[in-house]
Amino acid sequence: MNFKLILNIAIHLLRARLKQTIVAAVGVTFGIAMFITLVSFMNGMNDLLDGLMLNRTPHVRLYNEIKPSENQPISYSEKHKDNTNFIASVKPKDRGKAIYNCKSIMHDLKQDKRIIDVAPKVTAPVFFNSGTIEISGVINGIDVLAEEKLFKISEYIIEGEVPDLLQNNSIIIGKGLADKMLLEKGDVIKVTTSKGNLATLKIVGISQVGISEIDDVMSYTSLVTAQKILGEPTNYITDIQVKTYDITTAPALAKEFAINYDLDTIDYQTTNSQFETGSSIRSIISYAVGIVLLIVAGFGIYNILNMMIFEKMDSIAILKATGFSGNDVKWIFISLSMIIGITGGLFGLFFGYVFSNIIDVVPFNTAALPTIKTYPINYNPMFYVIGIAFALVTTFIAGLFPALKASKIDPVEIIRGK
């Protein structure tokens, strides 16, 4: 089989029907370009949402949850332990929010090679007071440096700097909270705990995540300040936040830590299940639309090659009469299809990249997301590999059936019919 000769014949046939060839190639180009653009944009949106929630959530969180005792006193009774007991008005067990022996646990976790680092946190409900205004909220006492390293909270600070929290009696409040209480950076806010402790803190920054439920109630202060406000010792910790190298191991690690340290644990998938579901649905939609576009382009190639075979019956008969086998003829038409697929696919990658760049520079200004200036795009090279691979597969299949039909043409019947 002379592949060079077969390729030359295929190119000659394409040039003979140049207009239809261009239409087929444009169909593939459009399909690939839209696929690249859609997938890049959808994954960019997923990355944006991940940055808002998933990346700000610890992969594993260790804490003490308020819940009733699993084993009630009657379960220890020799007389009743084997019976089915119905207990009414069960009260939750008050074991406190503080994590016992927290420093030892954190030291142990930091030695684990699967873990990047850990960050302690104190979380407590409080009342924010400014003049006669009183709003309920949450104060987070954080290890400033560890929190910044793991969760990049500085990306959501629109006024001030995260290291300013290292000052005594300082606080960063949410944008929604600041707007409600008419507060600015440099102002003073009073905080009252559930136990009645009162503290006066200086506002050193304003944060805005973009989710009103968080911005209206959330605030940050240093670990030491939070412990002082609550009147607790320096070893008082309510949460241990863990970030792993491999995020997919988080559910298994959560179960392991719950057993090892006798604490309640929750992984990021459980915490953000609704965001995970939304990201998956958006990805499925973008891939589905792109694949449908390529399949439609494949039908166009199939129709064009079918018409070409019908019109080139004489040429096919002459080729077979001069010594070309059915296999040679088959590869001529497969080559036709693959030339269209490769040309259209490469142009599709180019225009997909161009369209993605255009979207990437379109202004996207919203008060809810102050750190986002343009529409998000993900330029993952894998999208381009998938695009060109699917284009080649689609065009090969679209050309295979007409090629098999052409290879079975009997030149004697064609010439006799003429």
Side-chain angles (χ1 to χ4, degrees):
M1 184 187 299
N2 190 335
F3 282 104
K4 184 177 180 181
L5 178 59
I6 287 173
L7 188 61
N8 284 334
I9 295 172
I11 292 173
H12 176 76
L13 291 175
L14 286 174
R15 293 174 64 185
R17 291 180 60 85
L18 186 60
K19 188 178 294 184
Q20 290 85 348
T21 301
I22 292 174
V23 169
V26 167
V28 177
T29 298
F30 180 77
I32 293 294
M34 290 300 100
F35 172 79
I36 295 295
T37 306
L38 280 171
V39 173
S40 298
F41 179 66
M42 287 294 187
N43 279 274
M45 288 296 297
N46 289 345
D47 292 342
L48 172 62
L49 293 175
D50 288 349
L52 285 175
M53 290 301 297
L54 299 184
N55 292 344
R56 300 196 65 224
T57 305
H59 296 169
V60 180
R61 174 176 161 241
L62 287 73
Y63 64 106
N64 278 325
E65 186 174 12
I66 298 175
K67 58 183 179 181
S69 299
E70 295 180 3
N71 296 314
Q72 298 298 320
I74 195 170
S75 303
Y76 298 100
S77 170
E78 292 294 333
K79 182 179 178 180
H80 300 288
K81 69 178 182 179
D82 296 326
N83 299 337
T84 301
N85 303 304
F86 296 92
I87 306 172
S89 301
V90 177
K91 298 297 187 292
K93 181 181 179 181
D94 184 15
R95 58 174 179 170
K97 291 185 177 181
I99 296 176
Y100 176 73
N101 203 18
C102 59
K103 291 188 177 180
S104 177
I105 294 173
M106 290 173 56
H107 180 268
D108 189 33
L109 290 172
K110 288 184 177 183
Q111 304 306 312
D112 195 322
K113 294 183 179 179
R114 298 169 295 179
I115 295 173
I116 298 175
D117 205 351
V118 298
K121 185 164 76 169
V122 172
T123 304
V126 295
F127 287 102
F128 295 105
N129 311 94
S130 180
T132 59
I133 302 175
E134 183 178 84
I135 297 177
S136 61
V138 177
I139 193 165
N140 290 301
I142 59 174
D143 182 333
V144 179
L145 299 180
E147 195 81 12
E148 172 62 16
K149 174 185 174 183
L150 296 183
F151 305 112
K152 304 296 181 185
I153 61 173
S154 60
E155 295 180 0
Y156 305 99
I157 305 300
I158 57 175
E159 291 184 41
E161 301 288 340
V162 174
D164 292 341
L165 286 177
L166 296 173
Q167 302 173 20
N168 290 330
N169 299 326
S170 59
I171 189 172
I172 292 177
I173 63 174
K175 182 69 163 58
L177 185 61
D179 291 341
K180 287 181 180 180
M181 304 186 74
L182 302 176
L183 295 172
E184 298 178 350
K185 178 187 173 185
D187 289 344
V188 172
I189 186 172
K190 292 182 179 180
V191 177
T192 307
T193 68
S194 58
K195 294 180 180 180
N197 298 340
L198 180 64
T200 302
L201 305 176
K202 180 182 179 181
I203 299 173
V204 295
I206 307 291
S207 69
Q208 185 173 16
V209 175
I211 300 173
S212 59
E213 289 82 359
I214 295 177
D215 292 332
D216 288 349
V217 300
M218 195 64 67
S219 66
Y220 295 98
T221 188
S222 67
L223 201 60
V224 174
T225 302
Q227 291 164 344
K228 186 167 60 175
I229 293 172
L230 296 172
E232 299 290 350
T234 56
N235 62 348
Y236 178 81
I237 299 293
T238 61
D239 300 83
I240 296 177
Q241 305 172 102
V242 177
K243 201 160 190 180
T244 64
Y245 286 103
D246 184 1
I247 193 171
T248 60
T249 63
L253 287 176
K255 295 178 181 178
E256 178 185 329
F257 296 156
I259 295 171
N260 292 347
Y261 305 118
D262 190 26
L263 292 170
D264 295 298
T265 59
I266 188 169
D267 61 87
Y268 81 99
Q269 288 183 347
T270 305
T271 306
N272 301 290
S273 55
Q274 69 275 23
F275 286 93
E276 290 279 293
T277 302
S279 297
S280 300
I281 291 173
R282 282 188 295 274
S283 296
I284 290 171
I285 291 173
S286 58
Y287 277 100
V289 171
I291 288 171
V292 168
L293 290 172
L294 290 175
I295 290 174
V296 171
F299 277 112
I301 295 171
Y302 173 81
N303 290 329
I304 288 171
L305 291 181
N306 258 340
M307 290 298 297
M308 186 179 292
I309 290 169
F310 181 77
E311 293 179 0
K312 297 294 182 180
M313 288 288 191
D314 293 350
S315 301
I316 294 171
I318 293 171
L319 287 173
K320 283 198 166 186
T322 55
F324 282 81
S325 66
N327 191 49
D328 292 334
V329 173
K330 179 185 73 175
W331 278 106
I332 287 172
F333 283 91
I334 288 178
S335 299
L336 282 171
S337 177
M338 294 306 293
I339 290 172
I340 294 173
I342 293 171
T343 305
L346 292 175
F347 275 102
L349 296 182
F350 173 74
F351 283 108
Y353 181 77
V354 171
F355 294 156
S356 297
N357 269 276
I358 291 173
I359 295 174
D360 199 11
V361 298
V362 174
F364 178 62
N365 297 317
T366 171
L369 299 170
T371 59
I372 308 299
K373 302 301 181 185
T374 60
Y375 283 98
I377 293 291
N378 186 332
Y379 294 97
N380 190 337
M382 186 54 64
F383 302 152
Y384 295 80
V385 173
I386 293 173
I388 191 65
F390 195 80
L392 295 178
V393 170
T394 304
T395 52
F396 177 81
I397 294 174
L400 180 61
F401 295 105
L404 291 173
K405 178 181 177 181
S407 67
K408 295 175 182 177
I409 291 177
D410 187 350
V412 176
E413 291 184 7
I414 300 299
I415 294 173
R416 183 184 295 161
K418 293 294 182 179

